[in-house]
């Protein structure tokens, strides 16, 4: 994924590409529809067969044992698509939404490769995180949505 992207950068790209950033509600709805087991909020990241997304396996921040095959950012689409055909909704990198969180912050969704069982467990569709709007990092990216004509 493209990382080190501020919200402003993500919005500029989305506009150029004929789309927009999703709202928090849109993002969460799509991620929830894609869960392997709707009754288990973490089923987008882990199942009985092991990791389904790129998260931190091991004790954060001491050791990422990379059970999922990746330590750090994974290539886009290297994990199986979810139930509605989307890739990487959970884990890998946080994704900007167009939803404000508070003053000079916006909501990010999806968790990242830094989310671990012993730390934040934010690899669930309902998890949200505030981030300064002009900030970028190696675990922040985005996806765009396009509206279809009615």
């Amino acid at each position: 994924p493209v990382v080190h992207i501020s919200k402003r950068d993500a919005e500029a790209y989305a506009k150029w590409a004929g789309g927009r950033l999703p709202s928090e509600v849109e993002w969460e709805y799509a991620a929830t529809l894609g869960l392997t087991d709707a009754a288990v909020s973490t089923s987008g990241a882990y199942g009985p067969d092991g990791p389904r997304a790129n998260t931190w396996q091991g004790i954060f921040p001491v050791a990422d044992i990379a059970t999922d095959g990746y330590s750090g950012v994974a290539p886009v689409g290297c994990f199986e698509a979810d139930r509605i055909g989307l890739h990487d909704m959970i884990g890998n990198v946080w994704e900007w939404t167009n939803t404000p969180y508070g003053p000079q912050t916006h909501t990010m969704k999806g968790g990242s490769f830094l989310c671990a069982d012993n730390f934040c467990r934010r690899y669930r569709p309902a998890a949200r995180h505030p981030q300064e709007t002009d900030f970028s990092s190696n675990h922040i990216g985005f996806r765009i949505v396009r509206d279809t004509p009615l």
Side-chain angles (χ1 to χ4, degrees):
V2 175
V3 294
H4 279 288
I5 299 295
S6 71
K7 180 179 173 284
R8 191 178 333 253
D9 295 334
E11 287 174 324
Y13 177 84
K15 183 177 179 182
W16 173 84
R20 61 180 174 79
L21 296 180
S23 70
E24 178 179 9
V25 170
E26 290 170 322
W27 192 101
E28 188 171 328
Y29 180 71
T32 301
L33 284 178
L35 288 176
T36 305
D37 182 347
V40 180
S41 66
T42 58
S43 68
Y46 292 98
D49 54 341
R52 295 181 175 147
N54 185 21
T55 63
W56 187 285
Q57 291 92 52
I59 304 299
F60 185 86
V62 178
D64 182 359
I65 59 174
T67 306
D68 61 11
Y70 299 95
S71 181
V73 176
V76 171
C78 64
F79 291 92
E80 189 175 323
D82 68 16
R83 285 186 35 213
I84 62 171
L86 299 176
H87 289 271
D88 306 318
M89 289 294 287
I90 302 296
N92 214 21
V93 299
W94 284 100
E95 297 181 8
W96 287 109
T97 71
N98 69 8
T99 303
Y101 194 99
Q104 285 108 38
T105 64
H106 271 74
T107 304
M108 296 191 309
K109 300 288 280 179
S112 80
F113 66 88
L114 297 172
C115 292
D117 277 341
N118 73 306
F119 184 59
C120 71
R121 297 196 77 202
R122 291 204 177 132
Y123 41 77
R124 302 168 284 113
R128 59 197 308 252
H129 184 73
Q131 190 60 66
E132 292 88 0
T133 303
D134 292 327
F135 186 79
S136 71
S137 181
N138 68 335
H139 63 104
I140 299 174
F142 69 101
R143 75 178 59 228
I144 65 171
V145 296
R146 291 190 179 99
D147 296 311
T148 57
L150 297 176

